[in-house]
Amino acid sequence: MNRSLSADLVVVGLGPAGRALSNRASVADMDVIAVDTHPDRQWTPTYSAWADELPEWLPTSAVGSITDMPAAFTTKLQPIDRTYCVLDTAALQKSLETEKVRVLAGTAASVTSTSVRLTDGRELTGRTVVDARGSMGLTGLAEQTSYGVVVDRDQAEPLLEGSGAWFMDWRYDNGAATSAVPSFLYAVALDGHHLLLEETCLVGRPPLDYRELQRRLHTRLASRGLTLSGTEPVERVRFPVQPPPRSHSDRGSVRFGARSSMMHPATGYSVAASLAAADSVIEALRHGKRVGTLSVWTVQRLRNLGLRTALGLDPELVPHFFASFFDLPVTLQRSYLSGRSDATGTALAMTRMFPTLPSAARLAIARTVLGR
């Protein structure tokens, strides 16, 4: 067995981000090696995106459902005039084929800017190494957790109350006290026949555990007239909403996907940003340019401030915070949620929200900014 292999590009990790980058690099005729502990594992999580985030090259078959007007319920009902999609996970994975990529099964022991050493002793070298392993399994990071069930759409459609989907429903009918760590209902169509109903802790350190989320979901659904049979398919989600700090050895390596600034710390979304950024990252790598700009760095700093704000708010203030956010024009919502390099729009969204918040929330944000 050859213990040393080289390529133009070495990608570590074959989740949605790593697979998208490998696929698009091979389309651009780059020589690519991709390594993953379980490269053929079938993806099972639910991935969603705003329709305007998705790249043109992504086939329509990768989209499982489309909602033209989702809604949030914060302190009030707030329709969101922005099309929302749930991706077809199996079709997405199939669309990111890796036929022209040298795919290896292996686990990275160390990653540098130009080399990867695997636990079995093999070494991979490349003009560029991209670390797309995500942050799953790492400790000490702020995390998002969810517990959801898949139900028949006809049975659960009344829970949407005429909205296409609940992007966030913060109402207090889940049995939790207003002073408890908050959670919301996320309710979306997976396809024409099924809805995902998911109780979600947006961010916590530590987050709510599955047992508590399950209890809250069952209480919430029962209060709205839906009693579960207990045989519904279940989805459990837990992942960090912030990338891990860099070690000395991986300084200089390119990070991509959830391990990078593509992870939105205020929402936990990273897949659409990774798909959308793949071609521009590859273009930069092919021409020896730096991946990332000052504006991307600035947006990441601003979003990290938003994460610290979310962690520092008193629970009863969280619905008010999002009420102010969804009162913003959709253009500013888009800047904050999706504008990965839109520093001006991100800052404007944050400053426009501030005076509309309750005084207790403004004080909490001021303390966060001042580091108190």
Side-chain angles (χ1 to χ4, degrees):
M1 179 187 296
N2 189 349
R3 309 301 288 178
S4 180
L5 298 170
S6 63
D8 294 334
L9 174 65
V10 176
V11 178
V12 187
L14 277 173
R19 196 173 174 101
L21 193 69
S22 299
N23 170 274
R24 298 306 293 172
S26 68
V27 169
D29 293 324
M30 293 182 72
D31 180 27
V32 184
I33 293 175
V35 60
D36 190 278
T37 306
H38 302 288
D40 298 321
R41 178 168 48 196
Q42 297 300 301
W43 301 341
T44 58
T46 301
Y47 302 118
S48 302
W50 299 101
D52 54 35
E53 296 176 315
L54 298 175
E56 292 183 357
W57 54 260
L58 189 72
T60 56
S61 61
V63 176
S65 73
I66 297 175
T67 300
D68 291 329
M69 185 76 74
F73 203 111
T74 54
T75 60
K76 57 188 176 182
L77 175 64
Q78 294 174 284
I80 305 169
D81 190 14
R82 191 180 179 196
T83 303
Y84 190 69
C85 300
V86 176
L87 302 180
D88 182 320
T89 302
L92 173 65
Q93 185 171 11
K94 183 179 179 180
S95 72
L96 302 175
E97 57 87 14
T98 53
E99 291 181 3
K100 295 194 289 184
V101 176
R102 285 182 281 166
V103 176
L104 306 178
T107 301
S110 65
V111 177
T112 73
S113 60
T114 56
S115 68
V116 180
R117 183 172 57 82
L118 304 182
T119 55
D120 62 10
R122 286 178 293 173
E123 183 158 350
L124 313 177
T125 59
R127 189 172 65 185
T128 304
V129 169
V130 173
D131 190 347
R133 289 176 291 175
S135 300
M136 293 288 288
L138 299 177
T139 60
L141 303 174
E143 293 181 294
Q144 182 174 126
T145 49
S146 300
Y147 178 92
V149 293
V150 178
V151 299
D152 182 81
R153 184 165 183 165
D154 291 339
Q155 176 190 16
E157 190 82 34
L159 273 70
L160 297 179
E161 301 173 34
S163 299
W166 289 122
F167 183 68
M168 291 178 168
D169 183 347
W170 292 98
R171 281 177 282 185
Y172 290 107
D173 57 353
N174 61 1
T178 57
S179 58
V181 175
S183 60
F184 63 89
L185 175 67
Y186 173 71
V188 293
L190 299 179
D191 51 39
H193 305 288
H194 301 94
L195 285 179
L196 173 65
L197 307 174
E198 203 157 68
E199 192 76 16
T200 300
C201 173
L202 183 63
V203 61
R205 193 190 287 128
L208 293 174
D209 61 32
Y210 296 136
R211 183 176 298 180
E212 173 62 12
L213 290 169
Q214 180 184 18
R215 185 192 67 77
R216 291 187 185 188
L217 178 65
H218 285 220
T219 300
R220 189 191 295 276
L221 298 183
S223 74
R224 301 189 189 187
L226 178 62
T227 301
L228 300 176
S229 67
T231 62
E232 295 84 3
V234 170
E235 177 174 84
R236 296 177 179 86
V237 178
R238 180 170 185 163
F239 60 87
V241 296
Q242 57 185 152
R246 285 188 178 273
S247 65
H248 178 75
S249 61
D250 77 344
R251 289 175 185 167
S253 65
V254 176
R255 287 182 169 186
F256 190 74
R259 206 175 183 87
S260 73
S261 62
M262 292 166 197
M263 167 59 74
H264 199 306
T267 64
Y269 282 40
S270 67
V271 171
S274 302
L275 296 174
D279 281 356
S280 62
V281 169
I282 290 162
E283 185 69 10
L285 295 178
R286 291 181 69 190
H287 293 88
K289 296 180 180 178
R290 181 181 177 87
V291 175
T293 62
L294 178 60
S295 59
V296 170
W297 179 87
T298 302
V299 168
Q300 184 178 16
R301 289 283 181 166
L302 290 171
R303 288 177 171 177
N304 286 340
L305 176 61
L307 171 63
R308 295 198 303 275
T309 298
L311 289 169
L313 280 177
D314 289 338
E316 60 269 20
L317 293 175
V318 172
H320 295 274
F321 180 86
F322 282 102
S324 292
F325 178 79
F326 287 114
D327 273 343
L328 292 172
V330 169
T331 53
L332 291 183
Q333 293 179 33
R334 182 184 296 113
S335 293
Y336 186 78
L337 295 175
S338 306
R340 189 168 157 264
S341 60
D342 185 2
T344 300
T346 301
L348 184 57
M350 296 172 79
T351 54
R352 283 276 295 272
M353 279 181 64
F354 186 80
T356 69
L357 293 167
S359 57
R362 296 200 303 270
L363 180 59
I365 292 171
R367 286 173 175 166
T368 300
V369 172
L370 296 174
R372 295 179 180 176

